[in-house]
């Protein structure tokens, strides 16, 4: 992920984002450009219908149960501290980290088990980390031997060793849109972190203008890996590019703290990459995170939900636990918290990309499956208020959150409560948009006819005793 160590709320792009996690936050770039390619527009519209997606950070680092990649970076040491048993010096640590390749053997890897569980919970697309900043490829690249399919990696002997292929094929078969996360920086590449110099921070550790041939080699390396991902792995719907510090120097926003650390030109030629990706995958959504322009087709607040509805396509990527990577005994969010977050995101017009990190054995923690099962029970009753909906003013009024069907004929009102265990009240009063003329009303999950009355643009409903069976929220659906 693209990480900043500040944990306080901050203003960005003229709206407020509230950070909701321990150490990671993310700004949204200004200057959104709406795609003009009709296939991209169509894909983006379908993606906005899907609302709920699965993010997976997985790599050799899961064996140590540490933050993904970032302990290799000489910055942000406060929250990515290296444990002394993993190396007494920085260089010993890097060597031992890279040697994790030689012990990585996730024999319980079974993507069908994941797909079955998350599909029931309502997730409809997946974004998988094909390569994080550490440079370890979770796909069968020809550009490097630092990969899961290398003979150096024990799991290479497994018939499912190309985990990217297995995940993409399995989830595609289950009707998911397929997203490939890919880190533009590569801290293992001698053409990005050149061994002649020590790394100073997350950025390239030499001046590409002073050593243009080396930078050109890195550009070719990156292009070739992205060509492999978009050529060799079936239909890919989303190319999710992380590492926004690899960007043309003129695009730096000096108001953003981490962008001020970029001191040299790191233009990787996104026009060439994007054109190639669209040739290989017509209509592919490209997300060049934080770099405004035609290759950032939607924006990606991280571990945060915008305070207000946004008029552009967006997605909050938020962890189910505290960490994007696998950490033993992680603090997983409750099902109620996850559903509340989903409702708050979709009422503001966004998608919720929830990260679940597989462990070194190749599976999720058992508690993850419990959470997904609980979410699926709620989703069975309330899915019509979630999927293929759009935001509608007033978006959010006290404990009520609103969505509407795309044809504008159905209004959905979610009642939430910040109590630990949700209890549906006997009476609910809420406003509806002035132009909306209700003809019928029901509470999803209840078969009883609901008593209701309208006064001006306010509605009052009385709920039956059976309301006690409503979990996590009360969802009212009104048709005009």
């Amino acid at each position: 992920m693209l990480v900043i160590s500040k944990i306080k709320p901050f203003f960005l792009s003229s709206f407020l984002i509230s950070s909701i996690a321990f150490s990671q936050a993310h700004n949204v770039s200004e200057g959104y450009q709406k795609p003009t390619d009709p296939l991209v527009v169509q894909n983006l519209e379908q993606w906005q219908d899907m609302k709920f997606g699965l993010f997976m950070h997985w790599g050799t680092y899961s064996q140590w149960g540490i933050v993904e990649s970032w302990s290799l970076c000489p910055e942000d040491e406060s929250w990515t501290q290296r444990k002394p048993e993993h190396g007494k010096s920085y260089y010993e640590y890097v060597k031992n980290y890279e040697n994790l390749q030689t012990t990585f053997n996730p024999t319980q890897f079974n993507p069908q088990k994941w797909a079955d569980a998350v599909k029931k919970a309502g997730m409809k697309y997946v974004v998988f980390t094909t390569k994080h900043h550490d440079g370890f490829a979770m796909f069968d690249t020809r550009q490097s031997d630092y990969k899961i399919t290398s003979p150096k990696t024990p799991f290479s002997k497994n018939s499912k060793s190309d985990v990217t292929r297995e995940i993409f094929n399995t989830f595609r078969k289950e009707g998911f849109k397929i997203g490939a996360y890919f880190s533009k920086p590569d801290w293992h590449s001698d053409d990005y972190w050149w061994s002649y110099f020590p790394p100073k921070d997350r950025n390239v550790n030499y001046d590409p203008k002073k050593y243009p041939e080396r930078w050109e080699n890195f550009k070719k390396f990156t292009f070739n890996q992205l060509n492999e991902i978009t050529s060799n792995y079936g239909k890919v719907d989303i190319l999710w590019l992380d590492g926004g510090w690899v960007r043309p120097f003129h695009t730096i926003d000096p108001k953003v703290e981490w962008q001020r650390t970029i001191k040299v030109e790191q233009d990787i030629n996104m026009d060439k990459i994007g054109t190639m990706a669209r040739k290989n995958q017509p209509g592919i959504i490209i997300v060049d995170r934080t770099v405004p322009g035609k290759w950032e087709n939607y924006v990606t607040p991280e571990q945060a939900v915008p305070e207000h509805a946004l008029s552009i396509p967006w997605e909050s990527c938020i962890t189910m636990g505290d960490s994007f990577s696998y950490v033993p005994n992680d603090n997983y969010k409750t099902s109620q918290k996850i559903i509340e977050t989903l409702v708050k995101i979709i009422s503001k017009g966004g998608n919720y990309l929830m990260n679940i990190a597989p462990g070194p054995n190749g599976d999720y923690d058992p508690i993850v499956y419990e959470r997904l099962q609980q979410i699926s029970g709620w989703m069975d009753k309330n899915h019509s208020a979630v999927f293929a909906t759009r935001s509608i003013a007033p978006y959010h009024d006290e404990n009520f959150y609103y969505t509407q069907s795309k044809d504008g004929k159905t209004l959905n009102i979610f009642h939430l409560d910040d109590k630990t265990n949700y209890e549906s009240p006997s009476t609910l009063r809420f406003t509806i948009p002035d132009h909306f003329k209700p003809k019928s009303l029901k509470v999803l999950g209840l078969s009883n006819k609901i008593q209701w009355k309208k006064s001006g643009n306010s509605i009052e409903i009385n709920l039956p005793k059976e309301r006690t069976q409503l979990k996590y929220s009360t969802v009212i659906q009104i048709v005009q």
Side-chain angles (χ1 to χ4, degrees):
M1 302 306 297
L2 183 58
V3 179
I4 326 267
S5 55
K6 298 288 183 182
I7 326 177
K8 56 188 178 183
F10 48 102
F11 281 97
L12 293 163
S13 298
S14 76
F15 60 85
L16 182 69
I17 291 180
S18 312
S19 176
I20 61 172
F22 65 107
S23 64
Q24 306 183 42
H26 180 69
N27 67 293
V28 174
S29 52
E30 298 178 6
Y32 179 76
Q33 289 184 22
K34 187 176 179 179
T36 56
D37 183 327
L39 289 178
V40 178
V41 173
Q42 180 185 41
N43 192 8
L44 206 51
E45 180 77 11
Q46 293 170 352
W47 171 81
Q48 287 182 285
D49 288 346
M50 291 182 158
K51 300 303 176 191
F52 198 20
L54 170 67
F55 206 6
M56 284 194 288
H57 278 64
W58 193 28
T60 61
Y61 45 78
S62 65
Q63 296 173 89
W64 281 354
I66 59 171
V67 172
E68 68 288 348
S69 301
W70 282 95
S71 57
L72 298 172
C73 185
E75 61 177 292
D76 290 323
E77 190 267 343
S78 60
W79 62 273
T80 60
Q81 289 182 358
R82 296 182 290 274
K83 296 178 181 178
E85 63 266 30
H86 295 154
K88 294 179 181 178
S89 71
Y90 173 79
Y91 292 103
E92 183 183 356
Y93 183 91
V94 171
K95 181 181 178 182
N96 291 339
Y97 183 104
E98 293 180 346
N99 278 340
L100 286 170
Q101 174 183 15
T102 65
T103 53
F104 192 46
N105 196 21
T107 54
Q108 293 180 35
F109 171 61
N110 180 4
Q112 190 64 55
K113 183 181 179 183
W114 298 342
D116 290 345
V118 302
K119 185 177 182 179
K120 287 177 183 174
M123 294 180 174
K124 295 184 179 298
Y125 66 104
V126 61
V127 178
F128 176 63
T129 49
T130 63
K131 188 185 78 168
H132 205 262
H133 311 327
D134 62 10
F136 186 77
M138 296 291 278
F139 67 103
D140 188 26
T141 180
R142 293 181 179 179
Q143 311 307 313
S144 167
D145 197 40
Y146 193 48
K147 59 182 179 178
I148 194 167
T149 53
S150 165
K152 295 177 183 177
T153 310
F155 196 62
S156 64
K157 300 177 179 65
N158 192 293
S159 61
K160 297 180 178 179
S161 63
D162 189 346
V163 297
T164 293
R165 183 177 306 284
E166 298 296 323
I167 290 168
F168 286 2
N169 286 349
T170 301
F171 279 80
R172 192 184 296 114
K173 179 168 58 74
E174 295 297 334
F176 284 66
K177 277 193 184 292
I178 302 301
Y181 169 110
F182 182 90
S183 168
K184 293 183 295 181
D186 186 316
W187 296 336
H188 185 264
S189 169
D190 203 48
D191 290 320
Y192 192 78
W193 274 3
W194 185 13
S195 54
Y196 182 76
F197 296 113
K200 298 184 291 292
D201 52 27
R202 68 185 69 186
N203 295 283
V204 61
N205 69 340
Y206 62 92
D207 185 348
K209 285 189 173 180
K210 190 174 179 181
Y211 302 97
E213 290 183 8
R214 185 164 291 274
W215 184 249
E216 193 61 35
N217 287 339
F218 181 68
K219 286 165 61 177
K220 289 176 183 175
F221 168 78
T222 306
F223 178 92
N224 290 342
Q225 284 198 324
L226 288 168
N227 190 27
E228 290 172 335
I229 289 169
T230 55
S231 296
N232 302 337
Y233 287 86
K235 182 168 172 52
V236 178
D237 304 283
I238 304 163
L239 184 59
W240 210 95
L241 299 175
D242 201 9
W245 55 95
V246 177
R247 67 196 295 147
F249 195 77
H250 69 86
T251 67
I252 294 168
D253 184 350
K255 298 189 296 294
V256 179
E257 182 180 359
W258 65 263
Q259 292 190 31
R260 292 199 296 269
T261 71
I262 306 169
K263 304 299 184 185
V264 294
E265 178 67 66
Q266 296 185 67
D267 188 344
I268 205 163
N269 197 345
M270 270 305 302
D271 281 346
K272 184 177 180 182
I273 288 170
T275 301
M276 170 270 292
R278 291 261 161 87
K279 182 180 179 182
N280 293 341
Q281 301 283 345
I284 192 172
I285 297 167
I286 298 177
V287 184
D288 189 16
R289 296 184 80 201
T290 76
V291 186
K294 64 179 178 178
W295 303 117
E296 191 182 29
N297 298 155
Y298 65 76
V299 296
T300 54
E302 181 177 316
Q303 295 286 46
V305 180
E307 190 72 17
H308 304 291
L310 306 185
S311 60
I312 62 176
W314 64 277
E315 163 195 86
S316 278
C317 49
I318 298 173
T319 52
M320 183 190 256
D322 283 340
S323 175
F324 277 102
S325 53
Y326 173 81
V327 174
N329 305 309
D330 202 355
N331 177 35
Y332 289 100
K333 295 172 179 66
T334 64
S335 300
Q336 179 166 321
K337 185 65 178 176
I338 292 166
I339 287 164
E340 287 173 355
T341 303
L342 174 65
V343 169
K344 290 174 182 179
I345 287 172
I346 65 175
S347 71
K348 295 165 185 169
N351 281 18
Y352 182 6
L353 185 64
M354 184 169 70
N355 186 88
I356 304 174
N361 64 354
D363 202 0
Y364 300 152
D365 276 342
I367 194 171
V368 168
Y369 293 104
E370 291 178 25
R371 296 286 190 270
L372 293 171
Q373 183 62 36
Q374 291 161 352
I375 295 166
S376 67
W378 182 88
M379 208 54 96
D380 285 343
K381 299 178 178 68
N382 298 294
H383 58 88
S384 63
V386 174
F387 303 113
T389 60
R390 294 296 183 268
S391 61
I392 180 172
Y395 313 111
H396 166 218
D397 184 17
E398 295 184 343
N399 285 342
F400 296 96
Y401 295 81
Y402 299 78
T403 67
Q404 65 174 330
S405 60
K406 293 204 296 186
D407 62 9
K409 294 179 179 178
T410 303
L411 179 68
N412 308 297
I413 302 101
F414 300 80
H415 177 257
L416 302 179
D417 194 332
D418 288 335
K419 293 178 181 175
T420 304
N421 294 305
Y422 178 82
E423 294 180 7
S424 184
S426 58
T427 302
L428 288 173
R429 298 180 187 86
F430 52 88
T431 58
I432 61 173
D434 292 334
H435 66 272
F436 199 85
K437 310 299 180 188
K439 291 182 179 176
S440 64
L441 179 151
K442 63 181 176 180
V443 173
L444 300 183
L446 297 183
S447 55
N448 310 60
K449 191 171 183 180
I450 304 300
Q451 293 182 330
W452 61 284
K453 60 183 179 181
K454 180 177 181 288
S455 176
N457 67 341
S458 178
I459 286 183
E460 178 178 306
I461 66 173
N462 295 311
L463 294 169
K465 291 181 181 178
E466 287 76 13
R467 71 181 184 276
T468 56
Q469 69 191 31
L470 296 174
K471 279 193 164 188
Y472 310 129
S473 68
T474 301
V475 186
I476 304 116
Q477 196 163 69
I478 308 176
V479 176
Q480 70 173 352

